[in-house]
Amino acid sequence: MREEISLAIIQSISDSQQDLIVVFEDDAPIVINRAFKKFFAVSSLDDYKEEFGPFVNNFVPHPSYFHSEKIAKGSNWVDAILELDDSERIVSMMTSAYEPHAFLVKLRKIEGYVIAVFEDITQTLIKRIMIENNASIDQQSGAYAKNYFLHIAQSYQDAASFNKKIISAILIKCETKTESELPELVKHFKGIIRQDDMLIRWEDDSLLLIYLVDNLTNAQRMMDKIYTNGCSFTLITQKEKESIKEFIKRID
């Protein structure tokens, strides 16, 4: 009885989280949270067990990520991934629509149980790869390149849908600023915005800030936060059921 109450408490807490959470006992999942069910499009733990095999089979066999082929004979995936540095504990898993997402894996062992938290880092990873390849940055300003954002726009929309957020944008026009002053302006805005917000060189005389918010009030707060003399600001927020392509057309 006490164990059932403990699992019910874990279920309630985990369902409130955006990360995918799984509790294992002897390598078998005994609790999955709401975000996990949504990602794999299952209605319950029993449905998941019927449709999917061993949990490690969810990991896409890609050389950049941890997967079953990287597990030594006689070991299990939990012990194998714990041998890696924290920053290397990354797996790729597919949604029910066969869309790959990258997850940072955080594990905790408690007596005979393992609690696994899968943090979706797809957008962060895409940004890191593009930065490493120097393909995402507008060289004149230091902001993200417009072509880069257009390339990942659908992934950004997927992240917004998964996290139940809306996409908001602020078009920043600085007609009085010369091209040589643009890098300082970009540096100024980067010092104000959050790490996951995207500042983009949209046109020669304009920047675009793309960010995720819970509601229109918070979208407006961001515009108030970045207000700077000498620039004009236009707030554009994604409408309900509006596609990312339609949203971008409204910005242009």
Side-chain angles (χ1 to χ4, degrees):
M1 181 67 178
R2 186 173 182 179
E3 183 178 337
E4 292 178 0
I5 293 173
S6 297
L7 289 176
I9 292 172
I10 292 172
Q11 184 73 69
S12 178
I13 294 172
S14 64
D15 279 343
S16 68
Q17 305 302 306
Q18 295 178 352
D19 297 329
L20 277 57
I21 299 176
V22 188
V23 179
F24 295 90
E25 182 179 22
D26 297 328
D27 292 335
I30 59 171
V31 173
I32 56 177
N33 73 335
R34 185 177 289 113
F36 184 95
K37 294 174 189 175
K38 180 179 179 181
F39 184 85
F40 286 100
V42 294
S43 59
S44 66
L45 178 59
D46 288 338
D47 286 346
Y48 172 79
K49 288 180 177 179
E50 287 181 10
E51 188 170 345
F52 296 85
F55 191 83
V56 71
N57 290 351
N58 290 319
F59 303 156
V60 177
H62 187 284
S64 297
Y65 307 113
F66 174 85
H67 56 86
S68 61
E69 294 176 15
K70 297 185 178 183
I71 302 173
K73 189 175 181 179
S75 183
N76 59 56
W77 77 268
V78 171
D79 291 334
I81 201 171
L82 284 173
E83 293 177 0
L84 303 176
D85 291 338
D86 290 355
S87 61
E88 295 178 352
R89 296 172 187 172
I90 298 174
V91 299
S92 176
M93 297 192 292
M94 293 278 195
T95 67
S96 59
Y98 301 102
E99 298 167 337
H101 283 240
F103 293 90
L104 181 65
V105 185
K106 302 173 184 177
L107 298 169
R108 185 176 180 185
K109 291 184 175 182
I110 302 177
E111 297 181 355
Y113 302 97
V114 174
I115 300 175
V117 178
F118 297 87
E119 179 187 351
D120 193 331
I121 60 167
T122 306
Q123 293 303 315
T124 303
L125 201 60
I126 289 173
K127 286 183 184 181
R128 189 179 79 188
I129 292 170
M130 295 296 283
I131 289 171
E132 288 173 353
N133 293 335
N134 207 29
S136 64
I137 303 299
D138 172 69
Q139 296 302 311
Q140 291 180 329
S141 67
Y144 285 111
K146 183 176 182 178
N147 285 341
Y148 165 66
F149 172 70
L150 296 178
H151 177 71
I152 69 158
Q154 186 57 53
S155 295
Y156 202 83
Q157 174 66 76
D158 293 342
S161 299
F162 183 76
N163 291 295
K164 297 182 180 179
K165 304 282 187 179
I166 56 175
I167 300 174
S168 192
I170 299 174
L171 187 62
I172 308 167
K173 290 202 173 184
C174 308
E175 298 175 1
T176 60
K177 300 291 183 182
T178 65
E179 195 167 273
S180 61
E181 294 175 298
L182 197 54
E184 283 300 316
L185 193 62
V186 168
K187 185 177 179 181
H188 163 72
F189 286 123
K190 281 185 175 181
I192 301 173
I193 64 177
R194 303 165 300 186
Q195 183 178 354
D196 290 336
D197 299 334
M198 294 187 66
L199 187 65
I200 304 158
R201 174 80 179 274
W202 201 245
E203 301 294 348
D204 289 343
D205 64 344
S206 65
L207 300 169
L208 185 74
L209 176 62
I210 292 282
Y211 56 106
L212 301 182
V213 289
D214 296 314
N215 51 57
L216 296 176
T217 300
N218 287 336
Q220 180 64 48
R221 283 175 180 166
M222 176 63 83
M223 191 164 77
D224 296 339
K225 182 179 178 180
I226 68 168
Y227 178 79
T228 302
N229 288 327
C231 298
S232 62
F233 299 83
T234 303
L235 179 64
I236 309 104
T237 302
Q238 191 176 29
K239 299 176 182 177
E240 187 176 359
K241 297 183 180 180
E242 183 178 36
S243 71
I244 189 68
K245 289 183 179 179
E246 293 170 333
F247 179 62
I248 292 171
K249 283 182 181 179
R250 286 204 292 128
I251 297 172
D252 283 335

